[in-house]
Amino acid sequence: MLRVWRFLPFLGAFLSVSMAFAANLDEEVPIIIRNPASEPAYYPDSKAIGRIDAILDDKTIRAVTASNDWRIGETVSIESHTSGVGIIGFVEIIGISNKEDGTYEITAELLRQSRQHFLQIGDELAHIDLSSDNEKYTGTTDLIIKRRGKHISSKYKPLYTQGLAVGDTAETLWENEFLITWFGQVNYGIKDWLSVNTIIPADIGRAWNAATKVRVFQSDSNVFSIGANAANVPSEDKVTLNFSVYWDSISSESMISHTLFTVAAMSFDKAEDITAVKSMGTTSFQTGYEFILTNWDRTLFGPSYNFETKALGGYLSYLKIWDRFHFSLSLNATDVSKLKFSAVEGYYILFDAYWRF
C-alpha cells in the first residue's frame, strides 16, 4: 500500500540541520584535517629523486632535482637521509620551476609525517606508484585519493558502498567509473557528483529498478549526498520508492563515520520482511564507523533502527580490498533482541563481492 509522506518534513529538517552543522564542523572540531591526497600517476623514471634544501614553513618544503619527471598535484614520498630510517612522510607537489643551471626546484606541501622522525634538509623525495599495492603508503584518512585518476588502486579511494546489507556511503563514483557486484548490480559514475545503478537480473525478471545518488556538498572532512531508489515488486503489483540522505565525516586519522537516513515514500505489504536491504520500502536510520587499517582494508560496524518494525539492528563487517576487487564478510542483525539466525528478525551472516574500475 502507499505510504503516507509523513516522514518528509523530518527528512527536510534533518538535511537542513545536518548541512548547517557540517558547514561549521571544521571550525569546531579540534582535529587537524589535512587536504586529501591528489592524483598520483606512474612515471617510467621511477628512480628520479629530489633532495630537500629548505624548509619554508610549518607545512612547506623546497627540494632540488635533476629530473623533470614530476607533476603538480602528485603525491611523493620522503625518505630520511639517516641510514636505516626509511620513509618518514608524504608531500604533495604544489610548484615546479626551472633553474638556470638546468636543474628543477620543487615546492611541496606536507600531507603526513612520521611521529618519530622530523623532516630534515637532505631528505629525499621519490615517486610512488599507487596503481597497485604499495606497502610504504600506509592507511590513513589523510591519504585517501579523492581526485579522479586512471591509475589508482581501489585501496586508496573512499568507499562508495559498505555492502548490500550495510548500505551506501555519501561518496559517488568518479566520472565514467563502474562498480559491479557479484549479484548483478551495475553502478556507473555519470559525473564525479552523480552516480546511478540498477540490478540487471531483477530488470530481466520484470522487477525493474533504478537508483541515483547526488553529491550536494563536500569539504575536506565532510560529504553530503541525497539519493532516490525505485523498484517494481511484480508479486505485489506495487512500486517502492525511497529517498535517502547520506553523510560521511572524517573523525580522526583512521576513522570515518557514515550516517544513512532513508524514508519510504511508497511501499508494499511485505516490506517488513526484507528490512535487511536498506532503501527497499521501509524507513530506517543508521550510523556507523569505518576504520582504515594500515594495509587499507576496512573494518565497519554500527547500529541501525527500522521505524516499521521498531527494531534495533546493526552490523560488523571486514572488507578486504585488492586493486579492483572487494570482498567482505559481515555479521548483521535486523533485531538484536531476537537471538536466532534469521534475516527477517534476528542475526545472519553475509558475504559480498564487487569490482570497481
Side-chain angles (χ1 to χ4, degrees):
M1 61 181 177
L2 295 181
R3 294 288 182 181
V4 180
W5 295 68
R6 61 186 182 278
F7 291 102
L8 292 184
F10 177 58
L11 173 62
F14 174 80
L15 178 59
S16 300
V17 173
S18 298
M19 293 188 68
F21 174 75
N24 297 321
L25 188 60
D26 290 334
E27 300 178 1
E28 297 176 358
V29 178
I31 298 175
I32 298 175
I33 302 295
R34 306 180 183 92
N35 289 332
S38 56
E39 175 191 343
Y42 178 75
Y43 302 105
D45 188 10
S46 59
K47 295 183 180 180
I49 62 171
R51 283 187 169 81
I52 297 176
D53 71 341
I55 297 176
L56 304 181
D57 57 38
D58 61 324
K59 294 184 64 176
T60 313
I61 59 97
R62 186 182 68 200
V64 293
T65 177
S67 171
N68 66 349
D69 197 17
W70 309 87
R71 300 292 185 272
I72 292 178
E74 179 187 1
T75 298
V76 298
S77 64
I78 298 179
E79 184 171 356
S80 175
H81 70 280
T82 302
S83 178
V85 173
I87 301 294
I88 60 172
F90 297 93
V91 294
E92 178 182 348
I93 296 177
I94 59 176
I96 303 172
S97 60
N98 297 337
K99 298 181 67 177
E100 294 181 356
D101 60 1
T103 60
Y104 300 86
E105 189 173 86
I106 297 173
T107 306
E109 186 174 273
L110 182 67
L111 292 175
R112 182 185 179 194
Q113 180 181 350
S114 168
R115 298 182 181 184
Q116 299 178 336
H117 304 280
F118 289 110
L119 270 62
Q120 303 178 71
I121 293 175
D123 290 347
E124 295 183 349
L125 274 63
H127 294 300
I128 50 176
D129 177 15
L130 296 186
S131 63
S132 187
D133 184 54
N134 190 325
E135 62 181 12
K136 296 180 179 180
Y137 200 79
T138 56
T140 173
T141 56
D142 293 334
L143 298 182
I144 292 176
I145 307 299
K146 289 196 172 184
R147 300 180 191 173
R148 183 176 4 129
K150 295 182 179 179
H151 306 289
I152 309 299
S153 170
S154 294
K155 284 177 172 290
Y156 313 120
K157 299 176 182 180
L159 292 186
Y160 171 77
T161 179
Q162 300 177 85
L164 173 64
V166 181
D168 280 356
T169 71
E171 296 287 349
T172 50
L173 294 174
W174 293 344
E175 183 175 337
N176 296 325
E177 187 178 29
F178 283 92
L179 186 149
I180 301 176
T181 70
W182 68 273
F183 57 87
Q185 184 185 60
V186 178
N187 301 263
Y188 178 67
I190 297 177
K191 295 291 184 179
D192 287 347
W193 52 270
L194 173 62
S195 298
V196 295
N197 74 71
T198 187
I199 302 175
I200 299 297
D203 292 328
I204 296 174
R206 296 192 309 112
W208 57 262
N209 62 99
T212 184
K213 183 165 54 173
V214 180
R215 188 182 69 212
V216 295
F217 173 83
Q218 183 177 35
S219 68
D220 291 344
S221 56
N222 291 276
V223 180
F224 270 92
S225 296
I226 57 176
N229 186 311
N232 180 46
V233 185
S235 61
E236 297 277 334
D237 194 25
K238 299 288 186 180
V239 175
T240 68
L241 177 62
N242 273 63
F243 295 104
S244 302
V245 176
Y246 308 88
W247 174 26
D248 293 352
S249 178
I250 293 178
S251 303
S252 69
E253 291 188 352
S254 61
M255 187 177 73
I256 301 174
S257 63
H258 299 286
T259 302
L260 165 62
F261 178 56
T262 183
V263 175
M266 301 172 65
S267 189
F268 62 103
D269 293 338
K270 297 182 180 179
E272 295 179 2
D273 294 338
I274 56 170
T275 57
V277 181
K278 304 293 189 302
S279 303
M280 190 63 179
T282 62
T283 299
S284 63
F285 179 81
Q286 174 177 285
T287 181
Y289 302 94
E290 169 193 346
F291 281 92
I292 302 177
L293 307 183
T294 56
N295 66 351
W296 290 95
D297 289 349
R298 310 311 207 260
T299 298
L300 310 164
F301 70 91
S304 62
Y305 182 78
N306 189 280
F307 288 88
E308 269 73 17
T309 62
K310 296 180 174 56
L312 178 66
Y315 62 93
L316 173 63
S317 178
Y318 184 86
L319 177 62
K320 177 69 177 178
I321 307 175
W322 287 266
D323 294 333
R324 299 290 176 264
F325 181 64
H326 302 63
F327 178 85
S328 69
L329 185 64
S330 61
L331 174 64
N332 306 274
T334 51
D335 188 341
V336 296
S337 67
K338 303 295 179 60
L339 300 179
K340 62 181 179 179
F341 283 102
S342 171
V344 177
E345 50 175 8
Y347 294 79
Y348 62 99
I349 295 175
L350 183 71
F351 80 90
D352 208 353
Y354 54 92
W355 295 258
R356 184 175 181 177
F357 55 92

